[in-house]
Amino acid sequence: MLRGLFLFLIPGIAYANTDLSVAVDNARTACTGIAKELSSMKTMAGVGTAVSSVGTVAGGAALGTGIAKAQVDKKADKIETELAQEIERLNQLAQSQQADSLAKITIPNNLVQTDSTARHDNNTSGEITEKQKELAQLNKTSKNLGDWRTGTMAASTATNIASMVMASTNRVTGDLKTKINECLGAIQTLSNIRMQARISQTADEAALEYAGKIVSACQAWKNVDIDSINNKSTGAAISSGVGAGLGLAGTVTSATANSQNVRQGDSDKEKKLNTASNILAGGTTVASGVAVVFNATQIKTIKQAEAVAKECEEALQ
């Protein structure tokens, strides 16, 4: 019985030889500085969220511009078709006339018509001229919209690349994880020493209360999911990377679709490239938006960890 009692008292004797204030100092050394590192991560995540948001807006602007361009192109195609039909009609009319006096008037393709139809066709010629002016204006607007879409796609690409870089580096490093684990270890040791000091009555009540306050505040680290911070960082980096890839492809496609060679060449190819550009703009917008969500949730998780770190460090003061 005495042997059992002696063995029971061994831990108490061991801890009694360890000063409670030393354990507090060790905990202070282990736990101080974590809040500062998390604060820097929170700031970086905030910047990443802002950059991703800019990318989302730029992608949305590119998509909206592409849709507006499609409407302008549709109207231009209609007018171009009407002009071609009217010119063909006038050519056929001129060729069917058998008159001695033929006159050339200033209409597209140097159309020829007779004096007998001059009054009517002069009005038609005026309508054609107006449509030509409208078509020229629509083509100019289309070109400007295409350039704007290309520019906003390029901006979205750049911001997605920046967001990807920031997200991939804004992680809880091995050093910080080690520091958090060391903090938890020091707090557990402090808790054990405090318990034995209370049992052996080797510390006054104020010291015990102070140590208890530290243990209570710092043990909250056990409830913090540090890994989720890195998971959200990975999600933001992947989403931004997808957005950057789609944005780059969309920028190249948009620039090609809006080039002079394509615009004056194969109209079917131009339409396909414009459609592809709009789809890619939509894709990069969605990807950027997902990155914003990941960044925002990462900020929330970092804030929770920072709050624990601050409460722990305040208790250690």
Side-chain angles (χ1 to χ4, degrees), residues 59-260:
L63 177 59
T65 303
I67 292 173
K69 182 181 185 303
Q71 295 299 317
V72 171
D73 289 342
K74 184 178 180 181
K75 188 174 181 180
D77 287 343
K78 181 181 178 182
I79 292 176
E80 193 169 359
T81 299
E82 290 174 353
L83 276 170
Q85 290 174 346
E86 188 61 23
I87 290 170
E88 179 63 22
R89 185 190 71 78
L90 290 175
N91 276 331
Q92 290 177 357
L93 179 63
Q95 291 172 8
S96 68
Q97 299 298 324
Q98 299 297 324
D100 292 335
S101 57
L102 297 175
K104 292 183 179 181
I105 63 172
T106 308
I107 59 175
N109 298 337
N110 294 322
L111 299 177
V112 179
Q113 65 186 96
T114 63
D115 289 336
S116 60
T117 58
R119 184 176 301 163
H120 169 73
D121 289 338
N122 278 339
N123 292 333
T124 301
S125 177
E127 291 175 3
I128 290 176
T129 301
E130 288 302 314
K131 284 188 175 182
Q132 283 183 312
K133 291 179 180 179
E134 184 178 3
L135 179 60
Q137 183 59 48
L138 288 171
N139 285 334
K140 181 179 179 181
T141 301
S142 174
K143 182 69 168 63
N144 290 337
L145 288 172
D147 289 340
W148 179 253
R149 179 183 61 192
T150 302
T152 49
M153 284 287 281
S156 182
T157 301
T159 53
N160 272 294
I161 291 173
S163 175
M164 178 181 66
V165 172
M166 284 187 285
S168 61
T169 56
N170 194 38
R171 303 171 62 83
V172 176
T173 62
D175 289 343
L176 181 56
K177 270 189 175 183
T178 299
K179 191 169 182 62
I180 292 171
N181 289 332
E182 288 176 349
C183 173
L184 276 169
I187 294 302
Q188 185 59 52
T189 299
L190 175 61
S191 177
N192 293 338
I193 291 176
R194 175 178 175 274
M195 180 181 66
Q196 292 300 333
R198 180 181 288 278
I199 292 172
S200 62
Q201 298 182 349
T202 56
D204 59 37
E205 192 61 33
L208 292 171
E209 184 178 348
Y210 175 54
K213 178 183 174 183
I214 294 170
V215 171
S216 177
C218 296
Q219 277 188 339
W221 272 119
K222 292 180 179 180
N223 303 321
V224 177
D225 185 5
I226 291 297
D227 289 335
S228 68
I229 295 176
N230 287 353
N231 292 338
K232 291 174 176 61
S233 170
T234 300
I238 291 174
S239 298
S240 295
V242 171
L246 293 174
L248 179 60
T251 301
V252 174
T253 305
S254 179
T256 303
N258 211 41
S259 65
Q260 205 65 23

